[in-house]
Every structure is written in C-alpha cells, then in structure tokens.
C-alpha cells in the first residue's frame, strides 16, 4: 500500500519496454518477476491482472501484459507498509523490499558473485584482457553489470539481463572513444562506431578511474581501425578551413566537452540561431534575422539583464547570475516529449507537465527565452538535423488542453516554414549561413571557451551556480552519504556546464573569397640554356590547387653535387642572383648569367641560419639572436657597386634558427633554438606574439597562403599549427621522425625528413599521404616556385635535387 500522491498510473499506449525507463535519476533496475496485480473492482469483485513486477532501487513498477491496462509505479518513499499476503504464492514484493534495505551492499555482492559468462564469446580463440564491474548508462537509468574486453570485442553483461543477456561491440568497428565525466567524476567511457553520429553505441560508467583508464587503454591498443581521438584544436583547424560544417564542429565540441545523448544532465547543447519567427519569408542575408551570438540567452533582453544584475549585486556568496541553466534534463525533455514521453513521465512522477508549459510553439518558446524571468535555455541538436518527429505528435499522446482551450498536438511552426521538414531545412541553412560562420566563435567562447564563467556583456564572475562547473565541488571530499547524494541529485537535475575546451579567444572561421589574387612574378626553375628575361604567368588559385592535388607525383628532374658542406638555404631573388647559404656569417651572391660569385655581405656576428628575399629586401636570421632586414640598393650607371642598407633589427633572447614571411610580406615568423616562435609585424618592426611551441629547436615555420595560420616543425618531431590572430596552437601532430623543412598550402604539407624522404601530409586529417624517396641524408632545405609545380631540395648528402610533377 502507498499514500495516494505517490502512486502513478501511466497510460500504457506505448512500448512495454518504456516501463523500465520510468525511473528517477540514477535509479538501478535490479530484476523482474512474473506477478499478478490484485485489486477490488467496484469495491466487491477481486480482479487479477497478469504482468511483471520490476524491482528497482527507488521504486517498484508493475507492467501489465495487456497494453490496455496502465503501468503502475510506486515510489518507495511513499510506501507505509510492505508485506506478503497469506494467500500469495510469491514473495517477489517482499524480496524486493529486502533489496531496498541494503542496495549498495547487495549490488556489489551480486556483481562479485556473478562471473562473466565466457560462453558468450564470439570466438573460442579470443584472448581475455580485462574484466571488471561497471554500469551501462542510458537516459535516467544506469544498469549494473560486468565489462569484459578481449582482443576482438567489448562485452557488457547486465546483471538483470536487460536489454539482452550480453551487449557486444566489435573492436574493429569502433571509430571514436571518449573518456567521460559522469556525475562530476572521471568514471565514464563512451564508444562510437560511426564518425559523425550523435548517439553512441555504448556508454559505460566504471566504479573507479583506474578501471576506466585501463578499459580505454586496452580498447585503443587492440582496435584494428581505431581513429585516434581528435583534440578540440584539431577540429578547430578543420572547421576554420571549411573541411567540416558548423553543425559537425559543434557536435565534435559537445563530444569533447563530455556532452552525451545518454546523459540528460549533459545533453549536447546547440545555440538559438534565428531571431525572426514572425515573418512570412526568412531572409538569411539580413543580420537582424539572427540572434546575437556574442551574448548568452540571459543577456539578449537588456531590461531583464538589468534586473538580474541588481539581484546579482545584492546576492551573498556564492554569487551567480542565472538561477537556471541553459541545458538541463527538464529542458531537454521539454523539447523531446513527443518522441520520448517516458522520460518526461519519469521526471514528472508519471504525469505530463501542465499543457501551458509544454513545448507548444517555436515562436512562444523563443519569446519566453527572451522575456521569462527564469528561462535561459538554448536548443538541442535535433533542431538542426533531418528527423522532424520531435515536432510532431505521431504517438497521438494526450498532452491536455491549454487554458485557452487549445489541444496540445504538433508544435506550432513560424510562418516562414511550410511544414516540419521545411523548418528543419531552413534552420540548417541558417546554421551554415555566412553570418553564423562569421560569429559562431563568439558563442563557442561563451559555452566552451574562456567566457564560461562570465563576460563583459553581463559583468558577472559566475554566470551559473559554481556547482555546475567542472571542479565546482569535490564529491569525494563529502563523507556524509546523504549529503553527497542530495548534492549530486541537485547538480544532475539543474544541469552541468560543459567542460572548458578553450582558455583564450576562439579564432574566427575563414570565409572563402572566390576570386584570384594577384601574385608576384616567379621563375620556373627549368632555366633556359642561355640567360634571358623572367617570364610572367597568369597564376590562378585553380592552377595552384591543381598542383597541390598532384604533389604526390613528384619525380626527380635533375641533381647536382656541391663540393663543400651541405646547403642550408637555397632561394631565387629578383636581382638575377642565387643566394646560397652554408653555416657562415657571410652571404654569398651568385650570378645566374655568369655562374660565379658576385658579392659577399658581412651580415651577423654568428652563423646565418636562414634568409628570405622579396622586392629587393633581404631578411636574415642568425645564431647571434637577431633577425635583420636589409634594403638592396642596386648598382648605378656610374659604377657604384650594389650595396645593402640595414633597415631593422629584430632582437631575440636566444639563437634564431629559421624565419619565413607571409604572402603579403607584412608578417614574419621566427623560430629559435629553444623552441619558441615569434610573429612580427615587419611594417613596424614590432612583435605580435611570442609562443612556446616546441621542446627543441624550431626547424622550419611557414604561414598559410591566407596568413591565418602558421605551421611549424621542430626537433621534437611535431608539426604544430598556430592561429596567427590569437596565438593559439590549434593543432599538434607527431611525425615518426623530425621534419627539417616543408612547404604547405594550408591543407597539404610537403616536408623533408631526417631520413631523406619527401613526405606528403594531410595536415587536417593528420596522416601521411605519400612517401617519396630522395636524398640519402636529411633534407635540410626546400624551395618551391609560385606555381607550386617545381621544387628544389638540398640535403646533408651534399646533393641539390630538382623535382617536377609528372602528369
């Protein structure tokens, strides 16, 4: 028997399996038994309804076999008496009560006594690597059982046999693995067998971090097709360069920030994009169509923000700006009630919310988020996908009537959407629009970045309650179990802020400009037999792209051996000279026409390490800790010799090993022997960024053609991509051996390795595309013409090699 308010009868109009999910947060489902529900009809006749009794940690649920009867859920907190009737032939209910008395002890004891059934292995030759206790996490339910990892499969054996005796995931099918923070503790592991799917194949919660980390290690070690987990920075690079969409980037950031479809307190969060829900046509070319992505939802209404600020200033510590989160289980189920009513019934104790508070209209929901005193919710990914079922009452649920007498049915759409599919398509178009691409980084700063705890728009140090942030509370330090459970429940129900992924401003996306840019003239290095004037060519973006697409087809076109030492730098300059640099403190200028040394310049106090040339200006780096900029003043008709005038000196703390200029010749990057990179504005001779990038000498550095990114490589064997605007390292890729020099187009890299090979890399995908045999010693320098079709390399084998693309 129970008190009346605690007993919920749920219309049994959907799948019987849903009864399992009618549980509270963090409720365990132990077992089920065949049972009869006995009641008095009309106060006289006793009736029996056959079904199953499900024993759970906070409630018992009776599910009738016939769907015409309701599911009955009885929370244990409302029970006043539990006993087995004398005429009953089963003690299921009483047995369940015993379980409730010592839930944790009984759970662990049963897990310890229940071995994994090795007969479930798919192959008798499988090698066992790990076995431990864990729980399978699904929305609102954690299912205890045993994890077993072999060299071929991941198995989970639920203690209660639900949803099946053993859940199997083949390791060769796994594509992504994420370590998760579950209940604010580092205990989760989520496994995906797809690249871009929102939902995972299995989410496991372990009882200690060591077991979780061991499981991650064994899976990553024995996977055949495992793709290494990408970092937020590597996804940022792909997004910036247009390799993934805005939707895909947000999905990846959510995954990296511990957001999961299996955890309603950390469900993936997406932004409101559109602000116009009244027009008959949606104009994506007008900025006023869009929401201001630089502000959180709570700061979009100026008047409401002022009221919140007044309350914030008067609030005692710990202060926080908003009393509700932008993502919580309640908000997620608010949007999904039509496709997952069982979850809403769980949170509402077997009842739907009041009809006037349901998700009835897109426009009304947006208006309430702007004006409501406590409503600051963002959206969920479903608003930007192709499945419109969450907007339609396809299950024909009785969701009630509003106070105005309107039946709650399908979600009311804005005038510019002809139907639910059209609404989703236009929402997707808005998310991928130019305006959003130009401003999405501002919203990322708020949710995943450096503005998580406050920003200038709201002048608050804590946007939300401190408990919602990672590290806001240490549950392990709370010894009182009641206090700990109460605090965890509060956090899970309120919602959690995503794990912070960025600590400095997020770079903007690169918006492509579909036009060709003027380029300086250049030599094709297949020089004529007799000297002549340089040829000018119409260099288009298409021809350069074509050349990089064929970079794997490089073939040796000629080679020459030099007599003394190995070439460190070779380049063409506009004064019809070749400058060849060995480890000396002089510059040697060689005449192409007469094949002899033409001039010598005493430039530095120590070895010259790298030189660049542009428009009669020479840029030189040296181990004397300086970079110098020289102006070449040509010889005149009176016989005055060519001379060099020092224009600027860029000082460093340590020896400079390499330099490079951007395409506009306004920026210079310098790399030192201690691993730091400096980015300079050469027009003002001022430093913009000084960044610790590598753990050893920086071997080479170069700007992307659009000057947005800087790629560097060093003795530590890493390629690193730096965002020039912010100075953020947004990608880091390890190579098998150090790469001494390279050229790149922003996506593809041609590098010279320590072993003498030329390697072609997909820098965004982080993999080698082609290996090309070349030198017998380390490749030390590389030159490429403007068309990117001719390459010269120098090596420690004292060879200069000429390369051409073979079509």
């Amino acid at each position: 028997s129970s008190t009346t308010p605690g007993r919920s009868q749920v219309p049994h109009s959907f799948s019987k399996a849903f009864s399992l999910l009618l549980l509270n947060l963090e409720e365990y489902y132990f077992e089920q038994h065949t049972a009869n529900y006995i009641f008095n009809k009309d106060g006289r006749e006793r009736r029996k309804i056959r079904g199953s009794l499900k024993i759970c940690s906070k409630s018992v649920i009776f599910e009738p076999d016939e769907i015409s009867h309701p599911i009955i859920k009885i929370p244990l907190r409302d029970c006043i008496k539990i006993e087995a009737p004398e005429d009953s032939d089963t003690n299921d209910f009483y047995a369940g009560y015993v379980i409730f008395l010592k839930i944790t002890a009984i759970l662990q004891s049963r897990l310890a006594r229940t071995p994994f059934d090795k007969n479930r292995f798919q192959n008798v030759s499988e090698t066992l690597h790990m076995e431990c206790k864990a729980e399978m996490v699904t929305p609102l339910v954690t299912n205890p059982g045993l994890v077993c990892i072999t060299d071929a499969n991941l198995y989970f054996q639920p203690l209660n046999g639900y949803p099946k005796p053993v859940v199997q995931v083949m390791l060769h099918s796994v594509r992504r693995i994420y370590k998760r923070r579950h209940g604010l503790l580092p205990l989760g592991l989520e496994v995906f067998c797809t690249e871009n799917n929102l939902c995972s194949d299995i989410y496991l919660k372990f009882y200690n971090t060591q077991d979780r980390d061991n499981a991650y290690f064994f899976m990553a070690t024995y996977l055949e097709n495992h793709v290494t987990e990408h970092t937020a920075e590597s996804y940022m690079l792909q997004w910036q360069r247009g390799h993934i969409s805005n939707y895909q980037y947000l999905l990846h950031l959510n995954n990296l920030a511990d957001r999961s479809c299996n955890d309603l307190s950390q469900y993936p969060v997406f932004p409101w994009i559109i602000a116009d829900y009244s027009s008959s046509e949606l104009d994506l070319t007008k900025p006023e169509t869009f929401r201001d992505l630089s502000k959180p939802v709570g700061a979009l209404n100026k008047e409401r923000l002022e009221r919140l600020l007044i309350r914030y200033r008067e609030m005692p510590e710990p202060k926080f700006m908003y009393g509700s989160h932008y993502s919580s289980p309640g908000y997620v189920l608010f949007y999904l009630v039509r496709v997952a009513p069982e979850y809403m019934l769980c949170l509402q104790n077997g009842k739907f919310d009041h009809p006037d508070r349901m998700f009835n209209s897109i426009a009304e929901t947006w208006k309430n988020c702007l004006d409501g005193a406590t409503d600051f919710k963002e959206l969920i990914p479903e608003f930007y996908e192709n499945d419109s079922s969450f907007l339609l009452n396809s299950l024909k649920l009785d969701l009630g009537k509003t106070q105005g007498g309107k039946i709650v049915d399908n979600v009311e759409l804005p005038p510019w959407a002809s139907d639910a599919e059209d609404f989703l398509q236009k929402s997707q178009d808005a998310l991928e629009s130019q305006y959003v691409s130009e401003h999405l980084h501002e919203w990322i700063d708020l949710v995943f970045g450096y503005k998580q705890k406050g920003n200038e728009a709201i002048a608050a140090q804590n946007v939300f309650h401190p408990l919602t942030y990672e590290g806001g509370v240490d549950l392990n330090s709370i010894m009182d179990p009641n206090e700990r459970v109460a605090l965890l429940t509060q956090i899970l129900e309120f919602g959690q802020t995503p794990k912070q992924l960025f600590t400095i401003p997020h770079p903007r996306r690169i918006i492509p400009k579909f036009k060709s840019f003027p380029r300086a003239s250049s030599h094709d290095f297949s020089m004529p037999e007799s000297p002549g004037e340089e040829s000018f060519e119409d260099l288009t973006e298409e021809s350069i792209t074509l050349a990089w697409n064929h970079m794997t087809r490089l073939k040796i076109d000629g080679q020459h051996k030099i007599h003394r030492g190995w070439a460190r730098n070779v380049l063409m300059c506009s004064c019809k000279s070749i400058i060849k640099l060995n480890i000396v403190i002089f510059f040697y200028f060689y005449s192409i026409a007469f094949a002899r040394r033409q001039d010598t310049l005493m430039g530095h106090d120590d070895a010259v390490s790298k030189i660049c040339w542009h428009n009669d200006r020479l840029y030189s780096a040296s181990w004397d800790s300086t970079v110098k900029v020289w102006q070449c003043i040509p010889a005149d008709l009176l016989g005055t010799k060519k001379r060099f005038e020092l224009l600027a000196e860029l000082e460093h703390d340590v020896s400079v090993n390499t330099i490079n200029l951007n395409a506009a010749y306004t920026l210079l990057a310098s790399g030192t022997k201690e691993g730091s990179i400096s980015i300079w504005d050469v027009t003002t001779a001022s430093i913009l960024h000084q960044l610790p990038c590598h753990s050893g000498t920086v071997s080479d550095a170069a700007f992307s053609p659009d000057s947005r990114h800087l790629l560097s490589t060093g003795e530590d064997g890493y390629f690193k991509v730096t965002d020039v605007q912010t100075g953020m390292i947004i990608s880091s890729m390890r190579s098998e051996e150090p790469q001494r020099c390279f050229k790149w187009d922003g996506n593809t890299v041609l590098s010279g390795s320590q072993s003498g090979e030329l390697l072609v890399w997909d820098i965004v995908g982080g993999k080698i595309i082609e290996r090309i045999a070349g030198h017998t010693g380390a490749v030390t320098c590389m030159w490429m013409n403007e068309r990117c079709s001719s390459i010269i390399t120098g090596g420690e084998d004292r060879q200069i090699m000429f390369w051409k693309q073979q079509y």
Side-chain angles (χ1 to χ4, degrees):
S1 60
S2 70
T3 55
T4 303
R7 179 172 170 171
S8 304
Q9 294 195 357
V10 182
H12 194 21
S13 59
F14 39 89
S15 170
K16 292 190 297 180
F18 283 170
S19 65
L20 169 63
L21 303 174
L22 298 177
L23 308 172
N24 295 316
L25 289 174
E26 296 298 307
E27 183 165 9
Y28 294 107
Y29 164 48
F30 291 117
E31 58 193 14
Q32 72 174 18
H33 300 272
T34 300
N36 292 320
Y37 171 49
I38 302 173
F39 66 100
N40 293 330
K41 184 178 181 182
D42 300 326
R44 299 186 303 275
E45 181 185 356
R46 296 189 71 187
R47 286 198 56 186
K48 289 185 178 181
I49 298 177
R50 186 174 177 81
S52 60
L53 185 71
K54 301 184 185 299
I55 309 298
C56 308
S57 60
K58 298 181 182 178
S59 62
V60 290
I61 298 173
F62 177 76
E63 180 181 22
D65 292 339
E66 296 182 18
I67 63 173
S68 59
H69 297 294
I71 297 171
I72 299 174
K73 175 185 177 181
I74 305 176
L76 289 178
R77 66 173 181 269
D78 297 327
C79 292
I80 56 176
K81 186 178 181 182
I82 300 176
E83 63 182 12
E86 294 180 0
D87 60 344
S88 172
D89 56 359
T90 176
N91 286 325
D92 289 340
F93 199 79
Y94 183 73
Y97 176 61
V98 175
I99 291 178
F100 305 141
L101 297 179
K102 297 183 178 180
I103 292 172
T104 303
I106 292 174
L107 172 62
Q108 296 300 323
S109 175
R110 291 186 63 185
L111 285 172
R113 296 195 314 269
T114 306
F116 186 89
D117 184 2
K118 304 300 191 298
N119 292 323
R120 298 288 182 178
F121 281 4
Q122 291 296 301
N123 194 309
V124 294
S125 63
E126 286 186 58
T127 303
L128 176 65
H129 291 295
M130 177 184 178
E131 183 177 345
C132 69
K133 296 176 289 186
E135 298 171 5
M136 186 172 68
V137 179
T138 56
L140 303 182
V141 179
T142 55
N143 204 354
L146 297 171
V147 166
C148 190
I149 299 176
T150 71
D151 56 350
N153 292 284
L154 162 69
Y155 299 99
F156 178 75
Q157 177 179 288
L159 190 63
N160 53 32
Y162 183 88
K164 50 187 176 181
V166 168
V167 178
Q168 175 196 0
V169 176
M170 294 182 291
L171 295 186
H172 71 79
S173 67
V174 175
R175 293 296 177 270
R176 292 178 289 145
I177 308 175
Y178 294 99
K179 293 180 180 180
R180 292 287 187 227
R181 177 186 51 150
H182 187 274
L184 299 184
L185 296 174
L187 301 174
L189 185 69
E190 192 160 21
V191 180
F192 293 78
C193 292
T194 58
E195 290 291 351
N196 295 307
N197 202 326
L198 181 65
C199 297
S200 64
D201 290 79
I202 191 168
Y203 187 158
L204 296 171
K205 172 192 170 187
F206 295 81
Y207 290 104
N208 60 72
T209 304
Q210 186 63 52
D211 281 347
R212 191 276 305 269
D213 292 345
N214 288 341
Y216 181 91
F217 169 78
F218 282 118
M219 290 190 67
T221 301
Y222 292 95
L223 291 181
E224 293 179 6
N225 299 322
H226 178 57
V227 178
T228 302
E229 183 177 331
H230 287 280
T231 63
E233 289 77 16
S234 65
Y235 282 126
M236 180 201 297
L237 179 62
Q238 294 183 52
W239 173 72
Q240 273 197 293
R241 307 208 71 82
H243 289 250
I244 57 176
S245 65
N246 292 340
Y247 169 82
Q248 290 172 316
Y249 186 43
L250 290 177
L251 201 61
H252 289 311
L253 292 184
N254 272 283
N255 268 326
L256 291 169
D258 289 336
R259 313 300 286 189
S260 169
C261 291
N262 287 306
D263 186 350
L264 296 184
S265 68
Q266 298 189 94
Y267 202 82
V269 56
F270 271 59
W272 284 96
I273 293 295
I274 299 169
D276 180 4
Y277 294 101
S278 59
S279 300
S280 58
E281 297 291 333
L282 188 67
D283 189 348
L284 299 181
T285 64
K286 295 164 54 178
E288 53 266 32
T289 297
F290 300 92
R291 164 257 183 105
D292 185 349
L293 290 166
S294 69
K295 298 177 181 178
V297 169
L300 294 176
N301 183 320
K302 187 176 180 181
E303 290 75 19
R304 180 178 64 178
L305 177 62
E306 288 299 322
R307 294 194 298 270
L308 291 170
L309 282 171
I310 292 173
R311 189 191 69 171
Y312 174 79
R313 297 187 189 105
E314 297 174 350
M315 185 182 295
E317 295 293 342
K319 292 186 175 185
F320 54 90
M321 190 71 181
Y322 304 128
S324 63
H325 208 266
Y326 53 72
S327 177
S328 68
Y331 287 159
V332 172
L333 299 182
F334 169 83
Y335 292 126
L336 298 180
V337 62
R338 289 168 176 81
V339 290
E342 67 275 16
Y343 300 148
M344 173 68 81
L345 292 170
C346 165
L347 288 185
Q348 296 290 130
N349 198 25
K351 301 175 183 177
F352 292 118
D353 201 357
H354 190 281
D356 287 288
R357 292 195 296 266
M358 298 285 281
F359 181 31
N360 297 320
S361 160
I362 303 288
E364 287 180 7
T365 301
W366 168 245
K367 184 178 183 301
N368 199 53
C369 288
L370 287 181
D371 302 334
T374 60
D375 193 349
F376 314 109
K377 60 179 172 285
E378 292 278 9
L379 297 182
I380 55 176
E382 283 79 357
F383 278 81
Y384 302 102
E385 296 179 342
N386 297 320
D387 186 357
S388 62
S389 58
F390 77 102
L391 299 170
L392 307 173
N393 188 15
S394 302
L395 296 175
K396 303 302 179 183
L397 300 171
D398 182 3
L399 301 176
K401 291 183 180 180
T402 64
Q403 290 183 347
K406 188 175 181 180
I407 296 176
V408 178
D409 195 28
N410 297 336
V411 177
E412 184 179 331
L413 303 173
W416 44 258
S418 59
D419 54 30
E421 287 75 17
D422 185 48
F423 170 79
L424 292 183
Q425 182 59 59
K426 288 177 177 175
S427 296
Q428 293 170 20
D429 293 342
L431 179 61
E432 304 301 334
S433 66
Q434 180 167 334
Y435 177 90
V436 175
S437 294
E438 291 174 347
H439 295 277
L440 186 59
H441 65 285
E442 298 172 332
W443 186 83
I444 293 172
D445 282 336
L446 295 171
V447 176
F448 302 105
Y450 81 110
K451 291 183 178 180
Q452 261 195 2
K453 290 191 176 182
N455 65 84
E456 62 276 8
I458 57 178
Q461 290 184 340
N462 280 313
V463 181
F464 302 103
H465 195 286
L467 290 179
T468 69
Y469 296 98
E470 184 178 18
V473 61
D474 182 7
L475 289 177
N476 290 323
S477 65
I478 301 174
M479 306 308 295
D480 186 336
N482 293 328
E483 182 184 352
R484 182 173 179 176
V485 169
L487 186 59
L488 180 58
T489 301
Q490 178 185 350
I491 293 169
L492 293 176
E493 292 182 352
F494 184 86
Q496 298 176 58
T497 301
K499 182 170 68 177
Q500 188 175 23
L501 301 178
F502 309 105
T503 57
I504 61 176
H506 191 289
R508 298 180 56 158
R509 193 174 198 186
I510 300 170
I511 308 299
K513 307 294 183 184
F514 297 102
K515 63 179 182 179
S516 297
F517 295 93
R519 291 176 176 266
S521 63
S522 73
H523 283 285
D524 182 329
F525 209 84
S526 294
M527 293 183 292
E529 294 181 2
S530 59
E533 292 296 319
E534 299 169 5
S535 60
F536 289 82
E537 302 189 43
D538 180 19
L539 303 175
T540 64
E541 295 294 324
E542 290 78 9
S543 66
I544 292 172
T545 300
L546 182 64
W548 276 101
N549 288 340
H550 291 87
M551 199 57 68
T552 57
R553 301 182 182 181
L554 283 180
K555 302 294 181 183
I556 296 176
D557 195 47
Q559 62 187 82
H560 300 281
K561 190 165 187 177
I562 56 179
H563 295 291
R564 291 187 303 175
W566 46 272
R568 184 175 177 84
N569 196 190
V570 176
L571 61 92
M572 293 285 295
C573 64
S574 58
C575 56
K576 300 181 183 179
S577 299
I578 289 182
I579 306 177
K580 171 176 168 288
L581 177 64
N582 290 80
I583 305 298
V584 292
I585 61 176
F586 305 100
F587 302 101
Y588 296 112
F589 296 85
Y590 290 85
S591 168
I592 296 175
F594 299 101
R596 67 186 184 192
R597 190 168 72 187
Q598 190 179 49
D599 206 350
T600 304
L601 172 66
M602 177 68 177
H604 289 272
D605 298 327
D606 204 338
V608 178
S609 54
K610 185 74 179 287
I611 52 178
C612 298
W613 181 277
H614 170 67
N615 198 22
D616 289 333
R617 285 194 177 180
L618 177 66
Y619 303 81
S620 61
S622 172
W623 292 354
D624 66 3
S625 305
T626 66
V627 173
K628 293 183 179 181
V629 184
W630 311 82
Q631 178 69 49
C632 176
I633 302 173
D636 56 28
L637 296 177
L638 298 178
T640 304
K641 292 182 64 176
K642 176 173 60 182
R643 58 191 178 87
F644 286 84
E645 178 182 326
L646 182 62
L647 298 181
E649 185 170 324
L650 312 178
E651 295 193 1
H652 297 67
D653 296 330
V654 294
S655 299
V656 183
N657 195 61
T658 186
I659 55 171
N660 225 314
L661 292 158
N662 70 335
Y665 302 98
T666 57
L667 300 175
L668 179 144
S670 57
T672 70
K673 282 197 168 185
E674 292 188 356
S676 64
I677 294 278
S678 296
I679 301 177
W680 302 80
D681 181 345
V682 295
T683 63
T684 60
S686 59
I687 191 168
L688 302 177
H689 299 292
Q690 188 172 11
L691 313 165
C693 280
H694 296 274
S695 58
T697 299
V698 179
S699 301
D700 202 359
F703 291 93
S704 58
D706 56 17
S707 300
R708 298 292 187 94
H709 296 126
L710 178 75
L711 179 66
S712 62
T713 185
E715 285 183 341
D716 56 5
Y718 279 93
F719 277 115
K720 296 197 176 183
V721 180
T722 301
D723 182 79
V724 173
Q725 180 188 16
T726 63
M728 177 191 291
I729 297 176
I730 61 175
S731 182
S732 182
M733 181 179 68
R734 180 69 183 270
S735 57
E736 297 173 355
E737 57 180 338
Q739 306 297 304
R740 297 278 289 272
C741 55
F742 67 85
K743 298 293 179 183
W744 77 314
D745 70 340
N747 299 304
T748 306
V749 178
L750 176 68
S751 68
S753 68
Q754 186 73 25
S755 63
E757 289 181 311
L758 298 188
L759 303 180
V760 183
W761 301 77
D762 172 7
I763 195 68
V764 177
K767 60 186 178 182
I768 296 174
I769 303 173
E770 189 69 39
R771 296 176 181 268
I772 305 170
H775 293 266
T776 57
V779 183
T780 56
C781 56
M782 184 181 295
W783 176 88
M784 180 181 286
N785 69 343
E786 286 278 340
R787 287 184 302 166
C788 307
S789 57
S790 295
I791 291 97
I792 307 172
T793 58
E796 288 186 348
D797 58 1
R798 297 190 295 168
Q799 294 282 342
I800 299 290
M801 291 187 174
F802 303 85
W803 304 79
K804 291 287 252 181
Q805 292 181 355
Q806 303 295 319
Y807 294 95

